[in-house]
Amino acid sequence: MDEKVTREIFPRDSRKSYGLVELMKKTAPIVRKEPEDTVYVWPNLLMIEIICAILVTVGLMVLIQFEHAPLRSLADPSTTPNPMRAPWYFLGLQELLVYFDPWYAGVVLPGMIILGLMLFPYLDVNPKGVGYYTYSERKFAVFNYSFGFAIWWITIIIGTYLRGLDWQWYWPWSNHLEHMNPALVTLIPLHLIFVNWFHVSEGVGKLFTDVIFIGYFALGTLIPMVVWKPMYKAMGLWRYLTFSFFFLSMMGVALKIILRLLFNIKYVLVTPWINI
Amino acid sequence: MLQKLKNGIVDSQIFKSVFRHGYPDNDLDRAYAIFSNVFLHVHPVKVRRSALRMRYTFCLGGITLLLFIILAVTGIWLMFYYTPYTGLAYRNIKDLQFVIFGGNLMRDLHRFAAHGMVLFVWLHMTRVFLTGAYKAPREFNWIVGVVLLVNTLVLSWTGYLLPWDQLAYWAVTVGAKMASYTPFIGQNGPWGPQLGFLPTNDIMFMLLGGTVVGQNALIRFYVLHCVVLPLVVTVFLAVHFWRIRKDGFSGPL
Ligand code: HEM
């Protein structure tokens, strides 16, 4: 019998501190699982845990024979190391500073990553794929997680291996001791490109970029609502809007990285208060 | 001989008073061994045979926990030699490197276990994600997990300052500078100055206890790193494990 039936026969009552948990058709204390199939934690599971612990400890011991904790010279507020690298797990965020202003790359985006991760279970309405590895039954969820962390790891790799003096792009075979000439790359905001192309005023150029920016989020939200109607129906309006916002923001990060690296675009959106 | 010795120990009043059960070579005592022990009782008494399959969890959560324990032990050891004072901190670390017996070992263990914990917490999260273990009814434990992830990162970052070398100083200077760009409450953030936030009263000032990374920042990071954050992690870990038991493990049925 399922929980619903149990609740009908024995309704929960807040005046009682005890109650029947559930009615079951079987005789075993564990239901829906074969009783014969269980084993004692001592020694079966504990043994695995101990072996695992020993292996990790030994691995750590071996590692520190080859690598040692670094210690540079005494902290000196008057000389900044160049390049200044954050610890590896923050290098992705540091690398994002190339593509976005600090308020976005350093504060808003990390906040959105944390919030987005927390919301993930509430936005993923697909009930399939609990308790086993599967890609085919939940392609889209796996895609989202992988895409986000691909950005995370790729920017870490760029920050570790491809950045040198003044946080410029250095190939492994470039001379890492020579400063690059920053004048080689001129960064321009997107609206100035429109100004050049269409010979319009700056104000009109900015209007174009505003439309593109808002259009990206508006169409990015509306088109899937129509094209993937079942998905939208399954999620419901608010869940879908939340998801869409996070999804488009994540894709936006990737788009901005491409625009900046390939076309030297500094900002897509320019407003008197914030630039993105 | 050995058997006799074992029996002698197991039947002694001392053993009985400590463990309150016999040697776990039978089912009853095996059950007692788990649920009458404060450390082991995070486990159920019995698990499904298939839950033992290594290729499901790869022990990743357990390894993260182990690394956290190693960090706590080596960290407390390091605390005996460390002074959170800008004039001494660096020299304390040098002493650990060159003078104190086992200093290098403990420092290396602490440092690499920290790197490892960041890596394994991510691997564990990825495992949980790929097995769909965050779905109902385990949504909340996933949130607890994200809190643990963030705490792990902040723990690493606060610890980074303590050696007070160039690496430490500048990593934290640059990181803390980010705080000053926080919208509304940072001196450099959008709408920060308009709302009256200055270098002397904004969020970065609060974080560092000053306008630059100095003595106040060091003591703040020290207390956060050695007391506050480990406690927060411990509390959330307790909730995390409790919830695994209450929500049920997602493993293969
Ligand atoms: C300090 C960090 C953490 C520790 C020590 C830890 C430890 C553990 C352990 C020992 C388990 C049991 C199963 C296993 O080993 O995989 C577990 C399960 C779980 N963890 Fe964590 N965890 C941590 C962080 C996280 C994070 C960052 C997340 C996700 C964002 C997370 C989400 C979960 C969930 C949902 C389960 C239940 C899995 C299931 O039922 O299959 N944990 N954790």
Side-chain angles (χ1 to χ4, degrees):
Chain A
M1 267 176 252
D2 56 30
E3 187 166 325
K4 205 166 146 256
V5 182
T6 317
R7 290 281 159 267
E8 267 169 28
I9 304 173
F10 297 94
R12 266 205 183 146
D13 187 343
S14 58
R15 283 168 303 172
K16 281 190 220 150
S17 60
Y18 56 89
L20 198 63
V21 177
E22 197 169 343
L23 283 177
M24 280 302 177
K25 276 198 182 118
K26 301 228 176 80
T27 52
I30 306 179
V31 281
R32 293 201 203 95
K33 298 158 200 166
E34 290 305 309
E36 292 79 8
D37 201 30
T38 56
V39 291
Y40 279 91
V41 162
W42 179 303
N44 301 283
L45 181 58
L46 286 181
M47 223 27 123
I48 293 179
E49 289 177 353
I50 289 168
I51 292 170
C52 203
I54 291 173
L55 286 181
V56 172
T57 313
V58 169
L60 197 57
M61 283 298 202
V62 171
L63 177 70
I64 63 172
Q65 306 306 315
F66 300 103
E67 279 282 336
H68 294 286
L71 187 66
R72 303 283 168 80
S73 52
L74 178 66
D76 175 6
S78 61
T79 43
T80 319
N82 189 359
M84 192 5 262
R85 276 202 177 81
W88 64 269
Y89 36 84
F90 286 142
L91 266 184
L93 293 178
Q94 191 181 357
E95 173 66 14
L96 283 179
L97 284 170
V98 173
Y99 313 101
F100 296 100
D101 283 352
W103 66 272
Y104 191 70
V107 185
V108 174
L109 206 55
M112 277 170 61
I113 297 172
I114 295 168
L115 196 64
L117 275 174
M118 286 186 172
L119 286 176
F120 211 110
Y122 302 92
L123 301 178
D124 180 1
V125 289
N126 176 2
K128 281 192 232 132
V130 181
Y132 52 95
Y133 291 91
T134 169
Y135 168 66
S136 55
E137 290 173 35
R138 37 196 295 254
K139 288 194 179 116
F140 194 50
V142 175
F143 167 79
N144 276 290
Y145 187 89
S146 316
F147 193 89
F149 279 104
I151 299 181
W152 182 259
W153 287 108
I154 289 171
T155 46
I156 285 180
I157 290 168
I158 294 178
T160 312
Y161 297 108
L162 299 172
R163 292 290 175 183
L165 292 171
D166 312 319
W167 210 254
Q168 296 285 349
W169 192 285
Y170 281 75
W171 295 106
W173 53 85
S174 322
N175 178 359
H176 281 246
L177 298 176
E178 200 181 314
H179 284 268
M180 296 223 169
N181 183 359
L184 284 180
V185 224
T186 343
L187 297 176
I188 41 171
L190 187 60
H191 70 268
L192 287 188
I193 293 189
F194 293 132
V195 170
N196 288 337
W197 279 359
F198 304 117
H199 306 290
V200 289
S201 72
E202 256 198 60
V204 177
K206 276 190 192 158
L207 201 65
F208 283 180
T209 55
D210 292 352
V211 169
I212 290 178
F213 191 83
I214 296 170
Y216 169 74
F217 277 92
L219 292 180
T221 305
L222 288 173
I223 292 175
M225 270 166 96
V226 182
V227 179
W228 286 292
K229 217 173 190 135
M231 181 184 85
Y232 168 65
K233 280 264 157 61
M235 291 179 89
L237 181 65
W238 289 108
R239 191 178 274 123
Y240 175 76
L241 288 182
T242 315
F243 167 74
S244 175
F245 171 71
F246 280 99
F247 178 76
L248 293 171
S249 303
M250 176 170 83
M251 289 298 161
V253 172
L255 284 176
K256 181 72 195 289
I257 291 177
I258 294 170
L259 285 176
R260 167 69 176 72
L261 286 181
L262 296 186
F263 305 106
N264 296 325
I265 304 287
K266 187 163 170 63
Y267 295 121
V268 174
L269 181 74
V270 174
T271 73
W273 315 280
I274 52 166
N275 306 318
I276 294 178
Chain B
M1 245 285 281
L2 271 179
Q3 192 61 36
K4 242 177 137 181
L5 185 66
K6 192 190 114 191
N7 286 344
I9 293 174
V10 172
D11 293 336
S12 70
Q13 192 185 350
I14 297 180
F15 185 97
K16 286 230 168 93
S17 73
V18 175
F19 293 106
R20 321 199 71 85
H21 59 74
Y23 189 79
D25 52 6
N26 58 72
D27 287 353
L28 181 64
D29 286 325
R30 279 184 187 141
Y32 269 121
I34 299 299
F35 71 69
S36 67
N37 182 307
V38 65
F39 301 108
L40 294 180
H41 93 280
V42 293
H43 297 101
V45 167
K46 294 182 93 178
V47 290
R48 274 164 273 129
R49 190 178 294 280
S50 52
L52 296 179
R53 261 209 355 226
M54 275 284 297
R55 270 171 304 156
Y56 185 67
T57 68
F58 295 98
C59 274
L60 293 170
I63 291 175
T64 314
L65 175 67
L66 173 71
L67 290 170
F68 181 64
I69 294 170
I70 293 178
L71 282 165
V73 173
T74 53
I76 289 170
W77 192 91
L78 291 170
M79 281 177 79
F80 285 117
Y81 298 98
Y82 180 83
T83 336
Y85 163 55
T86 54
L88 273 179
Y90 184 73
R91 279 191 262 161
N92 289 160
I93 307 289
K94 278 267 183 241
D95 283 349
L96 280 166
Q97 259 188 331
F98 296 111
V99 184
I100 294 155
F101 178 76
N104 257 326
L105 175 73
M106 287 307 206
R107 205 166 90 82
D108 288 352
L109 276 177
H110 195 74
R111 177 67 67 124
F112 287 101
H115 285 312
M117 188 170 163
V118 174
L119 182 66
F120 275 96
V121 80
W122 182 77
L123 289 172
H124 167 62
M125 178 167 82
T126 303
R127 184 294 280 178
V128 169
F129 180 85
L130 290 178
T131 55
Y134 60 86
K135 298 186 186 192
R138 297 180 196 82
E139 304 101 315
F140 180 69
N141 215 13
W142 170 269
I143 294 187
V144 173
V146 177
V147 173
L148 284 168
L149 170 79
V150 173
N151 264 293
T152 307
L153 290 172
V154 180
L155 255 173
S156 292
W157 186 62
T158 49
Y160 218 73
L161 181 65
L162 303 186
W164 203 251
D165 64 343
Q166 279 291 73
L167 215 55
Y169 184 85
W170 288 100
V172 170
T173 299
V174 171
K177 189 114 193 120
M178 285 301 112
S180 77
Y181 288 96
T182 313
F184 306 113
I185 50 173
Q187 49 174 302
N188 301 320
W191 301 289
Q194 287 88 330
L195 289 172
F197 285 101
L198 306 167
T200 49
N201 65 1
D202 76 337
I203 177 88
M204 174 173 140
F205 187 85
M206 221 177 91
L207 181 71
L208 297 181
T211 51
V212 291
V213 177
Q215 179 58 54
N216 284 353
L218 183 59
I219 198 81
R220 274 174 201 215
F221 277 51
Y222 176 75
V223 174
L224 285 173
H225 184 76
C226 302
V227 184
V228 180
L229 294 169
L231 273 179
V232 173
V233 168
T234 309
V235 169
F236 275 90
L237 273 181
V239 178
H240 198 57
F241 296 151
W242 170 261
R243 290 297 292 237
I244 297 171
R245 293 293 304 280
K246 294 294 143 181
D247 298 340
F249 185 62
S250 72
L253 287 167

